[in-house]
Structure formats: structure tokens, C-alpha cells
Amino acid sequence: MTHAHITSWLIAIILFLITVSLQRSGSSKAKMVQMVLRLFYILTIITGVLLLHSIASISILYVMKALAGLWVIGAMEMVLAAMKKGKSSTVAWVQWVVALVLAIFLGLMLPLGIDLF
């Protein structure tokens, strides 16, 4: 299940960056790619919930990782919404980077990740 989760969020990040570039160029395909991106949000959340469910003793770090992951998805949607409306997306981009770094750090630090220290 870990591999499915990593694959789904990695594809989601790639699709997010593709959607951003398509929206910037004004392509009509941006909406279609964004719908596929939302499908990968759902896959990422489902695999994350299944991973969380498979852990015998859930610590607060796992809950923080789950919340950081949801924050990443929310920030992605904020970036895309701000870009679509033609508003400044700087705050949303900063949130996305902070949430992504936090989620990846927590994911690597937890026992299902790799040993950082």
C-alpha cells in the first residue's frame, strides 16, 4: 500500500504542475487535466487512509502527517483557483511549498519511511 500511496501523490504533483503550466498558457485542456488531478487527490486520500488504518498504534505524528497531506491538496486547489480567477497566488504557493516539505519530512521520519537520523 505504501508504494501505491507514493505513486498516487507523485503523479498528483506532476499533474498539478502540468495543470499550472496549461492554465498559464490559456490552454483549454487545463480543465480536463485538473479533473484527472482531482481523481488522484481521491486516490491519494484513500491510500493514505488505508495506510493509517493498517498501523497498529497511531501516534500524533501520523495524524500530523495526514493533516499535512490534506493541507498540500488544499493548497494545490487554492493555487489553481487563484490562477483561474486571475488573482495573486503567491500565498497559496508558499502554503503549498511549506505543506509539501512538512508532509515529505514527516513521511520520511515516521517508521514506514526511511531512517533520517
Side-chain angles (χ1 to χ4, degrees):
M1 189 54 60
T2 304
H3 290 81
H5 184 65
I6 292 170
T7 302
S8 66
W9 64 253
L10 190 60
I11 291 172
I13 290 171
I14 292 168
L15 286 171
F16 168 68
L17 296 174
I18 290 171
T19 306
V20 166
S21 68
L22 287 173
Q23 275 192 356
R24 282 188 179 155
S25 69
S27 175
S28 61
K29 295 181 182 180
K31 188 168 187 150
M32 179 183 63
V33 177
Q34 189 173 7
M35 288 296 131
V36 175
L37 172 62
R38 288 177 176 155
L39 173 67
F40 275 91
Y41 291 160
I42 294 169
L43 291 174
T44 302
I45 291 169
I46 289 171
T47 56
V49 167
L50 290 174
L51 274 173
L52 198 58
H53 180 69
S54 69
I55 299 168
S57 62
I58 298 176
S59 70
I60 189 69
L61 288 177
Y62 285 107
V63 175
M64 288 175 51
K65 163 66 173 76
L67 292 175
L70 291 173
W71 184 19
V72 170
I73 292 172
M76 286 177 171
E77 280 295 310
M78 286 191 295
V79 167
L80 294 173
M83 288 179 67
K84 189 173 186 178
K85 292 179 182 178
K87 296 184 177 181
S88 174
S89 59
T90 307
V91 174
W93 276 107
V94 170
Q95 280 193 45
W96 181 70
V97 169
V98 169
L100 184 65
V101 167
L102 181 64
I104 290 173
F105 176 75
L106 286 172
L108 293 174
M109 192 176 80
L110 291 169
L112 289 178
I114 60 172
D115 192 16
L116 293 177
F117 303 104

